[in-house]
Amino acid sequence: MLALLELREITKVYSHGGNPFAPRREAVKAVDAVSLSLAQGKTLGLVGESGCGKSTLAKIILKLVNSNGGTVWFDGRDIGALPEKEFRPLRKEIQIVFQDPAGSLSPRLRVRDIIAEPLEAFGVGRKERGARIKELMAQVGLPEEYLSRLPLQLSGGERQRVGIARALATSPKLLVLDEAVSSLDLSTQAQILNLLVFLQRTYGLTYLFIAHNLSVVRYISDEIAVMYLGVIVEKGPAASVFDNPAHPYTRLLLSSIPGLPDRRGKKNNPVPGSAEPVRGEHGCCFYAACPAAREQCRLARPVMREVEKEHWASCPVGSEGKE
Amino acid sequence: MINLLRNKLTLSGAIIIVLMSFFAVFAPVICHYQPDDIDIGNYLLAPSATHWLGTDLLGRDLFSRMVYGARISLSVGLVSIGIAVVIGIFFGALAGYYGGVIDTLVMRFVDIMLCFPSIFLILALVALLEPNIMVIMAVIGLTGWMGIARLIRAEILSLKERDFVSAARACGVSDITIIARHLVPNAIGPVIVSATLGVAAAILVESSLSFLGIGVQPPTPSWGNILMDAKSSLGVAWWMTLFPGLAIFITVLGYNLLGEGLRDTLMPRA
C-alpha cells in the first residue's frame, strides 16, 4: 500500500544553541534516527513514556520544529526540505490535535473564531466560512449555540471537540493526535475515541495517534510503534505487537497495563536497573533498564530485525530473552 | 469589572478619575470666567463666592485656570502613555516572538534607554525642541515605553510556547496575526496595570516640567505652571499653591489606586 507519510532516519538534537554565555548542557537527542511509514486511511499508534520524543516527532511532521537529519515524505513530496513558503499550502493537509484542550485554544477567542482561523488563513470567504463552521460543529457533535462561547465556558471533552473541529476545518489528509485523549476522563475519552473512529471512516482520514495509554492505542490503531528515548524499538501490526511483543521494553509496557493480567499469568515486573534513563552513545538505548541485557547490548547498537511479518524489533536477544 | 470596583480604594480611585475627567471635558460649561481673562483690579483675591478658589496675580480666576489646566494635565498623561504603550507593545512583541538576534538588539536598546535618568533626558530633549504640549507628550511617551516593552516580551516568551500558538502556526496563520490575535491580547493585563500607574507618573512629569518653565507655556494653564506662578506670592496667597498642589496629588493618587486595584484583579498571583 502507498504510504501517505514516510519518515526516514529523522533525528532531532537539542543543544545549548551556541550561546557562549549559556550554561553548558549536554546536547539531548530527542529523536534518534526514527523511520516510520503510515498508509493512507490507517492509524499508527505511537507509544512511549513521557519525554521519549513522541511530541517532538509530531512537531517535526508539522514543521513546527526543524529536524537535524532525515527526511519526511508526505504524499510523495519531501516536505522536510521545503521552505515555509512552499510548505504553507500543505499545512491544509496535515493538522494536529493537542493533549491539553485548555492550552490549545486561545483563551480570549470565541469558539467561532477558533474554528474560523484555519479557514481564514487559507482565504475562505466569510459566507462559506460560516457554513463550513456549522458543518464542522455538527460533525464533532457540538450544538451551534456554543459558537459564541469562550473555551473557559466549555468542559474538557467539549474543548477537545473544538480542537478537532479546528483541525478538520481545512479537510486534512493526515491528523496528528498528540495525546489527544490523555487529559480527558475515561467516559469522555471513549466518546472522543468513537468520534475519531467515526470521522476516520467517514472521511478516510489517516491518523498518527500518539499516546502512553496502551489500551486506548490498541483500540484505535492498525499499527503500533514503540518509542524509547528517541528510538523506535519495535513496530508492527497492532495485534502482532500486542500479542507477541519482541522487545523487552514493549513487554514491560504491556505488563504495566493496570487490570490486564499478563497473558502467561505472571506478575507485573517492576522496571529493573536504573530508574533514570541513561542514554548511551554506542549500545542499546534500553540497556540500563533491560531485564535481559547482555554484554553485546552495551557495546553495539542493535539493528531492527523482522520478528514476524511486518513486525520489527530492535533487540538481538529477542524472544529468547523472555523470562 | 464589578469585582474590581468592590474594593473601596479602587472605587475611590475610579471616582477621582471620572470626576477629574468630567471637569476637563465640561470645562467651558463649568467655568464662569475664561482662564485667561485678566482683571488687574481684582488680583490675589482670597477664595470667595464669586471666585471659588480666589484669583492670581493678574486677577485671573484660579478655579477656571485649574479646570482648564486639568484638560492639559490629563491629556498629557493619557496621550504620552498611549504613545509609550504602542511603542512598548511593538518592540516587546518583536523581541519576545522572534527571539535571537532581534531580541538581543531590542532588549539591549531598552537597557541603554533605561540608563538615562529619564527626567534629565526629558529636560535635554525639551530644551532642544520647542516646548509645546505636543512635544511634551511625545517626549514623555518616547522615554517611557521601556518597562512596557519588557512586560510584553516576558509575557510573550511564555505564551508563545503554549499549544494554541503551535496550533495557529500549524493552521498556516501568519506571524503578524499570531502576535496580534493570540499573543498581545493575552499579554495585555500587566500592560494595563503598568499604563494606569504610568499615567500618574506622566502627570507628575508634566507638572514638574511646567513648574520648571519648560513645559506647557503660559498663558495656557497647566497645574504645573500655575504652581510656578504661585511661587512668587507664596507668603500672601496660600490658595495659589494649595489648590493646584492638591489637584496633582489627588489625581495621581486616583490613578495609582486604580492601577493597584487593576493589578490585584488582573494579576491575582503577583
Side-chain angles (χ1 to χ4, degrees), chain A residues 102-171:
Chain A
S104 66
L105 307 177
S106 221
R108 276 167 206 263
L109 292 185
R110 302 198 177 271
V111 169
R112 181 194 314 278
D113 301 317
I114 291 170
I115 302 178
E117 184 146 61
L119 298 169
E120 232 170 274
F122 286 104
V124 178
R126 181 175 290 273
K127 230 178 177 176
E128 294 154 70
R129 224 153 57 202
R132 177 79 180 130
I133 291 170
K134 284 182 182 163
E135 195 179 288
L136 286 162
M137 289 292 275
Q139 278 171 8
V140 298
L142 286 176
E144 251 175 54
E145 57 264 31
Y146 279 24
L147 281 175
S148 50
R149 292 209 186 171
L150 290 168
L152 274 174
Q153 297 168 308
L154 302 178
S155 73
E158 287 163 349
R159 283 181 211 160
Q160 200 57 299
R161 285 172 195 265
V162 174
I164 294 171
R166 170 177 58 190
L168 289 177
T170 55
S171 310

Side-chain angles (χ1 to χ4, degrees), chain A residues 44 222-225 234-241 309-312:
Chain A
L44 172 67
D222 301 299
E223 306 239 340
I224 304 270
E234 184 161 4
K235 61 185 175 187
S240 176
V241 173
K309 192 170 180 297
E310 298 288 301
H311 176 179
W312 297 73

